Amino acid sequence: MFKFVLKRIGISLMILFFASVLVYGLVVHSGDPLADLRESNDQNRENRMAQRTAQMRLDEPWVVRYGDWLRGIAGCLRLQCDFGENRSGQSVNDLLALAAGSTIRLVLLATILGIVVGIFLGLMAAIRQYSGFDYSVTAIAFIFYSLPSFVFAVLLKEFGAIRFNDWLGAPTFNIIFVILVGLIFALFCQAIVAGTPKKRLLVGGVSFAAAVVILLVVDATNWIREPISGLWMPIVMAIAASVLFISLLANFGNKRAVLSVGGSAAAMLILVIVFQGQLEDPTWSLLGGLLIAGIVLAVAISQVFGGYAKRSITWASIWTVVSIGFAVVVDFLCRHWSDYIDMRGRPISTIGSESPNFRGADDFWLQLMDTSTHLILPTLSLTLMSIASYTRYTRSSMLEVLGQDYVRTARAKGLPEHTVMSRHAFRNALLPVTTIVAFDFAGLIGGAVITEKVFGWKGMGELFETALKQVDPDPVMAFFLVTGGIAVLMNMFADLLYAYIDPRIRR
């Protein structure tokens, strides 16, 4: 495996080298970096042209400039990268640090959400093949996959921000909206549940009633503007996550699984209660430390009480703890939601990655709220298109695996259906999807150029676009190196993940 990794690194570096030569040459020949000065009527025009020529070294062959840029990049081997300077003399290192942080935050969140939701929908569509759920998911996936990103981003700005902020001034639900949402939720739930028509009808009815009651309570309590928060959120999440992950990764018939996952959830809840005071104004290190402590406790409990199914139970416990941690963050954000509305007035932002001169910058949760509300729309724009591709690939891969002999053998041996799906079918179906994950992450960074333009983000897209218009190669090459490097790393990660998913590859 070590030789394999070294070989892949060598090949990847060669690919990046030849691609960098091509990109650098294309950029420097794509236009005239002095065009704006040539058209200027400024009396100091000639002097400014001479200064820019000296700054960008336009009097030297582009190959020489590329060689100097490459020597600066080679310094990364000594952890002293030098990406050069833009035409104004600013360090590209500093510009890249600001831009990459903004874009990676956006793309990483979109990738995680796209993977989780897309794989889940694709899995359920394959299991419920040719059902109403399957047809609905397929139709929606095709719509989002074919919809241009800039069109979808504009629609999100109009309906997800402008009109939503208008409605937030006096948020109320009319009865038609309540019934419509209830029907959609009921159709979704009954399509997921397998069984007789009577059972599905019962699930649909209960889901419809639950959705209607929840919306009516939210409307009556003005929960949209003043959400009722508290420990009930982590507790409800602990129960729901325990049920979900036990059913997916273990078995309710296994008492050790119920005991281990339930004990892990209880341990995490105890940690949250003990540190409740510190969580009022925490730091990222405190939140990360609590999550790590919860995971360590979950692993310890699962290893001691897990029995023969320690591995599956451990993963169920870990995901339950992570879900509780997410619920804690949502709980504290809800506690500060009304204060944030009072400060901002129109909380869902349509431009920028943060509010300039934000008054709540000293408060951890208000600052996180501001960052999150700026993330919502651009992340949703990238996520929904990513979900569409993951859904289609997962469904196709899962259907192919379900027709294999080893799946039929597992069923013939009398294994429970969830065991057949999770341990035999799903794991093998992940192999093709893993390849898509590797390409999608780097592809989303490229696609973020358009999304950042629509939402006014100062990220990698803005850095790339500005430099390309100015025929400024160093910032463009920084964009190329980040996206290309991520593509190489993600492909290598996919290769290593293959060996984890399929033990045959290790040999």
Side-chain angles (χ1 to χ4, degrees):
M1 179 62 74
F2 182 70
K3 290 182 179 179
F4 171 76
V5 172
L6 288 180
K7 182 179 179 181
R8 286 300 307 270
I9 291 175
I11 295 173
S12 301
L13 290 176
M14 290 298 296
I15 292 173
L16 285 176
F17 169 71
F18 288 113
S20 67
V21 175
L22 178 63
V23 172
Y24 198 98
L26 289 174
V27 172
V28 297
H29 291 95
S30 63
D32 182 8
L34 302 175
D36 58 321
L37 295 179
R38 297 186 197 279
E39 299 171 358
S40 173
N41 294 322
D42 188 358
Q43 295 181 351
N44 198 31
R45 183 183 65 175
E46 296 299 329
N47 185 37
R48 293 176 61 191
M49 290 177 63
Q51 288 179 344
R52 183 177 296 178
T53 299
Q55 172 65 35
M56 299 182 67
R57 300 167 59 191
L58 299 178
D59 53 347
E60 299 181 23
W62 71 268
V63 177
V64 175
R65 287 184 281 153
Y66 170 78
D68 291 340
W69 174 84
L70 193 61
R71 277 191 289 272
I73 298 303
C76 294
L77 299 175
R78 305 187 305 273
L79 301 180
Q80 296 178 348
C81 295
D82 182 9
F83 288 93
E85 297 179 346
N86 67 357
R87 73 176 192 180
S88 300
Q90 295 175 291
S91 172
V92 176
N93 287 29
D94 299 335
L95 297 175
L96 183 63
L98 295 174
S102 182
T103 298
I104 297 298
R105 181 178 61 193
L106 172 64
V107 172
L108 184 62
L109 183 59
T111 302
I112 294 173
L113 291 175
I115 292 172
V116 173
V117 179
I119 289 179
F120 172 76
L121 292 178
L123 175 64
M124 298 309 301
I127 295 174
R128 306 284 181 265
Q129 187 183 15
Y130 302 134
S131 65
F133 178 81
D134 183 24
Y135 288 128
S136 300
V137 169
T138 300
I140 294 172
F142 275 124
I143 291 172
F144 284 127
Y145 192 77
S146 59
L147 195 65
S149 58
F150 60 89
V151 174
F152 188 56
V154 171
L155 291 175
L156 278 177
K157 288 183 70 171
E158 175 65 25
F159 295 98
I162 297 174
R163 297 198 183 187
F164 177 80
N165 286 332
D166 293 339
W167 173 77
L168 201 58
T172 56
F173 299 125
N174 60 54
I175 191 63
I176 297 177
F177 176 81
V178 171
I179 293 175
L180 182 62
V181 172
L183 288 173
I184 294 174
F185 184 67
L187 289 173
F188 177 80
C189 291
Q190 66 84 28
I192 293 179
V193 176
T196 63
K198 182 178 179 181
K199 179 181 178 180
R200 293 170 62 186
L201 183 63
L202 177 62
V203 170
V206 172
S207 303
F208 174 78
V212 169
V213 169
I214 290 173
L215 287 177
L216 291 177
V217 170
V218 167
D219 188 33
T221 58
N222 196 28
W223 195 88
I224 297 296
R225 287 187 63 92
E226 299 178 1
I228 302 172
S229 56
L231 278 174
W232 67 269
M233 281 190 180
I235 293 173
V236 170
M237 178 60 80
I239 297 172
S242 298
V243 172
L244 174 64
F245 292 116
I246 289 175
S247 61
L248 288 177
L249 301 174
N251 189 346
F252 275 104
N254 185 349
K255 294 182 180 180
R256 289 181 175 272
V258 177
L259 177 64
S260 300
V261 176
S264 301
M268 185 63 181
L269 287 174
I270 292 173
L271 284 177
V272 172
I273 293 172
V274 170
F275 288 91
Q276 190 73 197
Q278 289 87 336
L279 288 173
E280 292 292 340
D281 188 19
T283 61
W284 283 113
S285 58
L286 174 63
L287 293 178
L290 280 178
L291 182 59
I292 293 173
I295 291 175
V296 170
L297 288 174
V299 171
I301 292 171
S302 301
Q303 291 297 313
V304 173
F305 299 102
Y308 67 91
K310 289 181 180 179
R311 185 175 180 177
S312 299
I313 294 172
T314 299
W315 279 112
S317 300
I318 289 174
W319 285 116
T320 299
V321 166
V322 172
S323 301
I324 295 171
F326 174 76
V328 170
V329 174
V330 173
D331 170 34
F332 278 92
L333 289 177
C334 288
R335 299 184 190 188
H336 293 77
W337 173 244
S338 58
D339 294 335
Y340 183 71
I341 292 178
D342 293 338
M343 287 184 180
R344 289 290 313 279
R346 300 175 68 82
I348 306 301
S349 302
T350 59
I351 190 168
S353 56
E354 60 183 10
S355 300
N357 302 319
F358 180 55
R359 289 186 290 131
D362 295 334
D363 187 285
F364 177 88
W365 294 112
L366 286 176
Q367 181 62 45
L368 180 59
M369 180 79 71
D370 184 64
T371 304
S372 302
T373 52
H374 283 81
L375 268 173
I376 289 175
L377 295 184
T379 299
L380 194 60
S381 176
L382 293 173
T383 300
L384 289 178
M385 290 182 291
S386 185
I387 286 174
S389 60
Y390 285 123
T391 298
R392 298 302 302 151
Y393 282 111
T394 304
R395 179 185 181 275
S396 176
S397 180
M398 192 69 180
L399 287 175
E400 182 179 354
V401 169
L402 289 176
Q404 299 296 318
D405 291 339
Y406 58 83
V407 174
R408 287 194 290 268
T409 303
R411 284 172 172 159
K413 288 163 60 179
L415 292 176
E417 186 66 14
H418 73 86
T419 302
V420 175
M421 291 296 172
S422 60
R423 295 187 182 179
H424 293 76
F426 180 58
R427 186 166 180 171
N428 288 282
L430 279 180
L431 282 172
V433 179
T434 304
T435 306
I436 306 303
V437 173
F439 285 102
D440 189 63
F441 188 77
L444 277 179
I445 295 181
V449 173
I450 298 175
T451 303
E452 290 178 4
K453 181 69 174 177
V454 174
F455 291 100
W457 271 58
K458 300 295 184 182
M460 296 284 290
E462 195 266 346
L463 177 70
F464 171 79
E465 181 190 11
T466 302
L468 195 60
K469 287 181 177 178
Q470 296 176 349
V471 197
D472 194 357
D474 284 1
V476 174
M477 294 305 294
F479 176 87
F480 159 78
L481 200 61
V482 170
T483 53
I486 288 176
V488 168
L489 289 175
M490 292 300 292
N491 274 280
M492 191 173 301
F493 174 74
D495 288 337
L496 298 176
L497 198 58
Y498 288 154
Y500 173 77
I501 295 174
D502 190 347
R504 295 172 298 178
I505 297 177
R506 301 173 200 171
R507 295 190 288 270

